[in-house]
Amino acid sequence: MPLILKTTRFVETQIDLFLDVVSDAAILFQLAMDDYLKERNDQFEERLAKIREKENKADELRVGIERYLYERTLIPENRGDVLAILENTDEVIDNIKDALLQFSIEMPVIPEGLDDLWMQTTSASVAAVEQLVFAVRSFFRDIAAVNNYIHKVYFFEREADHLGEKLRRLIFAQDIELSHKSQLRWFAIHIEKISDYAQAVCDRLSIYTIKRQL
Amino acid sequence: MIFIYLLSGLFLGWSLGANDTGNIFGAAVETRMLKFKKAALIAAIFITLGAMIEGSGPSKTLGRLGSVDALGGAFTVALAAALAITVMIRIRIPVSTSQTIVGAIIGWNFFSGRLTDFRSLLTIAGSWVTAFVLSAVIAGLLFLIFRSYLSKSKLHLLELDVYTRYGLILIGAFAAYSLGANNIANVVGVFVPVSPFKDLSIADLFVFDGIAQLYFVGSLAIVLGIYTYSWKVMRTVGKDLFHLSPVTALIALLAEAIVLFVFSSRGLYNFLLALGLPTIPLVPVSSSQVIVGAVVGIAIVKGGKNIRYNVLGRISLAWIVAPLMAFFFAFIALFIIQNVFEQEVNKDLAYRFDDKTVPLLIARNMDKSALGTVNGRTFQSERQVFHELDRTGAFTRDEIIRIIAIVEEYPMLVNTRLLREKGFVKRFAPEQLKAIETLDGQRFAHRWELAERLQDSSSWQRIEAAKNEIQKSRNNRINAQLDILYRTFFVK
């Protein structure tokens, strides 16, 4: 039996590694945001570099998994769904990297009064991504638990939206230049968008879960 | 000539391969768990193995077509059945090959004036319901068990995929093996007594006997059917009727294998018999009806929303139409073969009420005065006898069938050498063979005469009023052995 499952176990490990990378990237994003707000710029750049590595790694893993699934004609019925899940989850990492890269390029000045709400929005978005990782893992192993995690992703996405709106209102209530306000607004939206991507993956995941149920 | 006759058997083999492989691998191929080429290769290997290993075994009957007593008739019946099956495959509907063949045989019965056993017709109609309902119930139960197990086991999607794939291959191979073992007799069984193939000795190490060669040719025809046409029916089973997932495809196939094994396995029957346990009745179940039943069973447990009832209706209708079509094809073809090509399609038997048979009938409590109306007369067909006796109103249908068995003239010359030449000796116990040898060179005018003479040996004695399954089984075996003797020793 182990011989028969050799390829399968290898692909399973690759999928788990891919999800680990997504989860790591989300946590790194939160840490990098904290570094940025506390002006630990060198550490921020280190985190960004790590996220870039994670993004490349995720791409490599995804392509490898896709190739295995097609070459060995594994899971013919669910192959398309699995690939869509992996590709969409990969976009979450891309989004995380893009957001941080933008910080690194533009170096927006964040007024001190925004720090707390800024971190809360970031945490909600990151929590949505972490729950997404749980949901995707469950899709492969424990189909009954998927909806539970999907529910949590939706919760954190709504929370990120809610906090993001508060953050934008607070930005425009600040006594700063309009151009500065506009710049900060786009950064706030970038953070919110991470949870939006997680939610988009979940929308598909819930349909694939129905399909997978016996 | 025999090779031309053999062609219709091969055509039947081809249609069987095309029809029945769809029942086994249709769901697996349509869910893309197995590629068509791989499924066809597995089916080809295991059908051939089944045909060669078990199909040529010593205790198997020669198949349903054996009841047709002339080669021309067998050719036509096989041709008619194959044509009917092919028509059904063209419209992508899996039908029961055995039932279609029976339809064609009834066509032969009508044409040649033989009586049809209506009870066997009822059994066939009954099996449509039994096989369908049984497999639906079993598949439904299996589905619930699988669902509950899979939700608890937390098996990885990829591992589940691997297990399902191997399950489909293993059960499919097993089903293909049974298909070959059970159906090769339908395809070429009737040609066994006239096999044109001679024993082949390969470097004095291995003898490829004539019958095995015939079975091999038959299985090649089945394999050809698989490769050229079986994809037609696969879609109906795997997709058109109800969209199956790989796991539900496995459940359907498992249900099919269980139903076919439990209700048609003589091995299981004998095993239970040997243990003194109550046996499960052997019902003639068809793989087509079983797989469709299984798919419907799963669909019902899943809520019954996505079953395509129009496809199901079409399939059910085809199960009635296919035997009827075979019946008409056979009837028309027999007429043409007999009158245009002047081939013998049935043995011309006579039914004589003379001083030998009438006293025997009276001794068996048949109405003496009613027999007076036929005494001294000879009839040319079973149906004439039936009408004549039925008019008297003194006999039931069963009694008339028993009377026919006694008055039928079936000239035979006992010749043990023929049994050896045709490779039938393996089917008899040494004491039975000894008893036959003592009759060598003797002539018999009726089948019952030979049977009675053989009863002198205890090895040929049937148990009167058999009570238990062991006794019934012994009687059935002796009847099948007698049947081989009748056909082998028949002389014109």
Side-chain angles (χ1 to χ4, degrees), chain B residues 263-394:
Chain B
F263 292 92
S264 62
S265 162
R266 201 154 275 282
L268 179 69
Y269 184 88
N270 289 337
F271 176 71
L272 290 173
L273 208 61
L275 290 180
L277 293 170
T279 54
I280 296 156
L282 293 174
V283 190
V285 285
S286 137
S287 62
S288 308
Q289 284 151 12
V290 170
I291 192 76
V292 172
V295 173
V296 170
I298 293 168
I300 289 172
V301 177
K302 283 188 84 174
K305 283 177 203 147
N306 297 323
I307 310 177
R308 301 220 178 94
Y309 288 100
N310 57 342
V311 178
L312 185 61
R314 214 153 47 100
I315 292 174
S316 314
L317 189 67
W319 289 346
I320 299 166
V321 171
L324 278 178
M325 200 188 274
F327 171 89
F328 286 112
F329 282 173
F331 198 86
I332 296 164
L334 284 164
F335 182 82
I336 296 170
I337 298 282
Q338 190 182 50
N339 297 300
V340 179
F341 295 99
E342 295 179 341
Q343 296 297 314
E344 185 195 33
V345 293
N346 61 289
K347 284 194 175 112
D348 283 326
L349 301 177
Y351 302 83
R352 208 181 302 272
F353 289 84
D354 56 14
D355 53 1
K356 198 177 194 178
T357 54
V358 174
L360 185 71
L361 289 172
I362 293 167
R364 294 196 179 176
N365 296 326
M366 296 297 172
D367 192 315
K368 192 177 175 181
S369 60
L371 284 172
T373 60
V374 288
N375 196 2
R377 292 171 67 183
T378 302
F379 297 89
Q380 294 311 312
S381 80
E382 284 184 2
R383 202 168 305 130
Q384 283 175 1
V385 179
F386 181 81
H387 287 311
E388 202 60 38
L389 292 176
D390 199 35
R391 268 205 319 211
T392 65

Side-chain angles (χ1 to χ4, degrees), chain B residues 53-318:
Chain B
I53 297 168
E54 269 202 64
S56 53
S59 62
K60 289 281 177 289
T61 63
L62 288 181
R64 290 165 194 274
L65 276 175
S67 61
V68 178
D69 59 13
L71 208 52
F75 163 81
T76 320
V77 165
L79 186 70
L83 271 176
I85 295 167
T86 308
V87 169
M88 288 300 155
I89 300 169
R90 270 200 74 82
I91 54 171
R92 297 175 175 275
I93 289 180
V95 289
S96 159
T97 41
S98 305
Q99 288 164 13
T100 314
I101 292 168
V102 170
I105 292 175
I106 294 170
W108 177 84
N109 282 349
F110 265 74
F111 185 82
S112 55
R114 303 291 162 93
L115 279 182
T116 299
D117 180 6
F118 287 116
R119 262 176 301 187
S120 69
L121 262 185
L122 273 178
T123 321
I124 291 167
S127 92
W128 284 339
V129 182
T130 10
F132 187 86
V133 173
L134 271 172
S135 62
V137 169
I138 290 180
L141 285 174
L142 281 176
F143 177 81
L144 293 174
I145 294 168
F146 265 71
R147 187 160 66 182
S148 142
Y149 170 74
L150 288 177
S151 68
K152 281 180 200 147
S153 71
K154 297 188 178 157
L155 211 57
H156 196 282
L157 173 64
L158 285 155
E159 282 174 36
L160 178 64
D161 175 75
V162 171
Y163 293 133
T164 310
R165 200 178 293 249
Y166 280 96
L168 284 167
I169 292 174
L170 277 177
I171 301 170
F174 171 69
Y177 182 87
S178 315
L179 179 72
N182 295 332
N183 282 294
I184 193 72
N186 275 334
V187 177
V188 289
V190 74
F191 301 102
V192 168
V194 289
S195 169
F197 301 106
K198 301 272 172 283
D199 289 1
L200 272 181
S201 176
I202 299 160
D204 284 339
L205 289 170
F206 173 75
V207 178
F208 195 27
D209 68 58
I211 294 175
Q213 289 172 48
L214 187 68
Y215 278 41
F216 184 68
V217 172
S219 43
L220 283 187
I222 300 179
V223 169
L224 195 68
I226 298 169
Y227 274 99
T228 53
Y229 224 52
S230 64
W231 51 269
K232 276 252 178 194
V233 180
M234 288 191 175
R235 200 182 169 84
T236 308
V237 175
K239 215 164 195 173
D240 289 351
L241 179 60
F242 180 79
H243 183 86
L244 290 173
S245 69
V247 177
T248 47
L250 177 67
I251 294 169
L253 187 58
L254 195 59
E256 182 189 3
I258 290 173
V259 172
L260 288 182
F261 180 72
V262 170
F263 292 92
S264 62
S265 162
R266 201 154 275 282
L268 179 69
Y269 184 88
N270 289 337
F271 176 71
L272 290 173
L273 208 61
L275 290 180
L277 293 170
T279 54
I280 296 156
L282 293 174
V283 190
V285 285
S286 137
S287 62
S288 308
Q289 284 151 12
V290 170
I291 192 76
V292 172
V295 173
V296 170
I298 293 168
I300 289 172
V301 177
K302 283 188 84 174
K305 283 177 203 147
N306 297 323
I307 310 177
R308 301 220 178 94
Y309 288 100
N310 57 342
V311 178
L312 185 61
R314 214 153 47 100
I315 292 174
S316 314
L317 189 67

